[in-house]
Amino acid sequence: MKKRMYALMSVLFVSVFVLAACGGESGDVITLKLADNHPDDYPTVIGDKKFAELVEEKTDGRYKIDVFAGGQLGDEKSVVEQLQLGSIDLTRVNATPLTEFSDDIGVLSLPYLFESEEAKWEHLNGELGQELLDTFEGSKLVGLAFYDSGERSIYNSKKLIKTPEDLKGLKIRVQPSELAISVFEAFGASATPMEYGEVYSAIQTGVLEGGENNFPSYYTSNHYEVAKYFTVNKYTGPPEILMASQKLWDSLSDEDKKAFKEAALESVAVQREAWDKLTQESKEAVIENGNEIFEVTDFAPWREAVEPIYEKYGEQYKEWLDKLNK
Ligand code: GTR
């Protein structure tokens, strides 16, 4: 009996010791902040949390990541600036606002760039994707992985838009980016850059007549309550990007860098699964809530309307467009 007791005690002792060595109680745990502007159960936040869990696991608990969802740490632009300063360690951000921080990444926000979502993901998962993540070098940001954000379309509070002509003069909110403004000007709309969190009340009070986004964002931001008409013209599909601050990156050992990178890439599958599910559910939910949806079948006039964008930005993104045989 005594023997068993001793055995049990030594097992307990060893486990406490191991736990402490893993950082559980040792005080050596480094806690990092990850910012996301979406609500807690949004697919990107599900991805962020998976990433956090995997980092903790792969670094034996030496790194812990606290995920701050719902824009608690600021809007996307200010979060990216805080990453550059090193006061926030990690973020998940959309590629379009990053066009203001990188000369290359904007290629992913060009209208009708890929033939399909499958084609886009083949490139993002391949060499081109990694090369694009590497273009942040020198901007105090480190790109870790791409998350899914599907395709963006247009919505408004006035009427069901069927052709680019119907958009003429409508005040449409775009993401804060030169390129995004140019695209909506090419569609003939009056493009208004604004932070995401301000759009609901701007449409509600009539300052804006609409916006553009994918179904999950349209639904979870409640914009569908104030804009009832959604036109599925899938005009662009900038992915989400999981990023680290250069400051954090430089502080990591090579082995930990590998752990962070692997954790980021492994979290993608979980994020994309949640993405597909919410894309389906959110489309159904906005229809159930009385929204009218127009599914574009003739994309020719939409593609034609944005041809000037390729004239304007063709030179800047030449290297990437060549790689995509565009
Ligand atoms: C969402 C994206 C956000 C933000 C938002 C916007 O689809 O996930 O990060 O960029 O769009 O329109 O501002």
Side-chain angles (χ1 to χ4, degrees), residues 76-92:
E76 290 192 298
K77 184 165 175 273
S78 76
V79 163
V80 175
E81 285 165 356
Q82 291 177 77
L83 236 73
Q84 288 181 311
L85 292 170
S87 50
I88 295 179
D89 310 291
L90 297 145
T91 189
R92 185 290 311 162

Side-chain angles (χ1 to χ4, degrees), residues 10 42 66 182 214 223 226 270 281 309 322:
S10 53
Y42 196 86
D66 286 341
S182 303
N214 47 53
H223 293 178
V226 285
V270 172
E281 286 170 4
I309 296 299
D322 285 350

Side-chain angles (χ1 to χ4, degrees), residues 32-265:
L32 305 172
K33 280 192 219 149
L34 188 158
D36 195 307
N37 68 348
H38 282 302
D40 232 348
D41 50 356
Y42 196 86
T44 55
V45 180
I46 293 176
D48 302 337
K49 288 182 180 162
K50 185 71 196 175
F51 166 66
E53 180 191 314
L54 289 169
V55 164
E56 203 170 329
E57 209 175 283
K58 286 174 192 286
T59 61
D60 297 326
R62 283 178 292 107
Y63 284 92
K64 183 174 178 299
I65 299 173
D66 286 341
V67 175
F68 293 86
Q72 286 174 71
L73 301 184
D75 59 53
E76 290 192 298
K77 184 165 175 273
S78 76
V79 163
V80 175
E81 285 165 356
Q82 291 177 77
L83 236 73
Q84 288 181 311
L85 292 170
S87 50
I88 295 179
D89 310 291
L90 297 145
T91 189
R92 185 290 311 162
V93 65
N94 189 256
T96 302
L98 286 170
T99 55
E100 300 301 301
F101 297 87
S102 145
D103 287 338
D104 298 277
I105 203 71
V107 66
L108 295 175
S109 302
L110 286 173
Y112 299 113
L113 180 68
F114 295 104
E115 285 317 310
S116 64
E117 284 294 276
E118 290 71 33
K120 176 171 86 185
W121 277 95
E122 233 168 77
H123 285 293
L124 293 181
N125 286 333
E127 229 171 83
L128 183 105
Q130 189 48 53
E131 282 173 17
L132 277 169
L133 290 175
D134 291 342
T135 62
F136 289 104
E137 223 183 292
S139 54
K140 302 205 173 105
L141 302 166
V142 178
L144 296 177
F146 293 108
Y147 279 173
D148 210 343
S149 198
E151 294 161 304
R152 299 175 79 99
S153 292
I154 302 171
Y155 51 88
N156 82 102
S157 61
K158 293 288 169 211
K159 58 185 182 190
L160 200 57
I161 289 164
K162 297 190 173 166
T163 64
E165 284 74 61
D166 295 339
L167 257 176
K168 287 244 147 48
L170 281 190
K171 266 185 258 139
I172 303 292
R173 178 270 176 171
V174 296
Q175 291 167 289
S177 138
E178 240 347 274
L179 172 59
I181 297 170
S182 303
V183 172
F184 272 76
E185 283 174 349
F187 282 146
S190 157
T192 312
M194 191 184 279
E195 288 305 337
Y196 189 48
E198 294 163 21
V199 182
Y200 183 95
S201 65
I203 299 178
Q204 190 178 37
T205 56
V207 170
L208 287 176
E209 278 138 355
E212 53 70 62
N213 225 314
N214 47 53
F215 275 111
S217 285
Y218 182 54
Y219 178 54
T220 56
S221 63
N222 297 323
H223 293 178
Y224 72 95
E225 292 174 358
V226 285
K228 300 242 176 282
Y229 304 101
F230 196 104
T231 300
V232 189
N233 71 340
K234 304 177 180 172
Y235 81 94
T236 190
E240 312 289 352
I241 304 183
L242 193 59
M243 325 197 72
S245 72
Q246 189 71 50
K247 188 175 163 207
L248 164 66
W249 203 247
D250 292 344
S251 75
L252 298 177
S253 67
D254 284 350
E255 203 185 312
D256 286 340
K257 281 186 181 131
K258 195 165 157 264
F260 273 66
K261 179 72 182 176
E262 276 174 14
L265 294 177

Side-chain angles (χ1 to χ4, degrees), residues 9-20:
M9 273 172 71
S10 53
V11 165
L12 272 175
F13 180 77
V14 168
S15 2
V16 167
F17 186 78
V18 167
L19 261 179

